Amino acid sequence: MNFFQLLMKKKELIPLVAIMTFAASGATSFAVYSLGKTDVILDRKKNPEPWEHVDPTVPAKLVTINQEWKPIEELQKVRRATR
């Protein structure tokens, strides 16, 4: 029996199939979107230590509300002392 014939015979499955198709396409599109972000490392040979090139002014969250970056004074003192 063909899939579409089954759906026409049992019409109560149509909303379930529609919701599952929408959820699967949303999950797939988010996975493809996440692979394009710079936080995801696919090739470790080009950038073996990515944490050394992190810009603290760029938010790394999906949603950032009222973020204000200020340098920590104690950390700046330690950096000046170790140079």
Side-chain angles (χ1 to χ4, degrees):
M1 184 177 272
N2 192 1
F3 179 71
F4 295 110
Q5 288 175 350
L6 178 68
L7 282 181
M8 289 301 135
K9 193 172 188 181
K10 300 187 181 230
K11 295 194 185 289
E12 63 270 8
L13 292 178
I14 293 174
L16 178 65
V17 170
I19 290 171
M20 293 302 293
T21 303
F22 181 73
S25 64
T28 304
S29 64
F30 183 73
V32 170
Y33 168 76
S34 295
L35 286 176
K37 306 264 286 175
T38 58
D39 297 341
V40 179
I41 302 168
L42 295 177
D43 186 13
R44 300 228 5 129
K45 292 180 183 177
K46 288 183 182 176
N47 193 6
E49 297 172 346
W51 53 87
E52 292 181 357
H53 305 290
V54 175
D55 185 13
T57 60
V58 176
K61 300 178 185 177
L62 289 175
V63 177
T64 304
I65 301 172
N66 298 330
Q67 179 182 6
E68 193 172 311
W69 183 80
K70 297 177 195 171
I72 301 170
E73 293 179 27
E74 293 84 15
L75 182 61
Q76 297 299 326
K77 288 178 185 177
V78 169
R79 284 185 181 167
R80 281 187 225 122
T82 57
R83 286 185 184 174

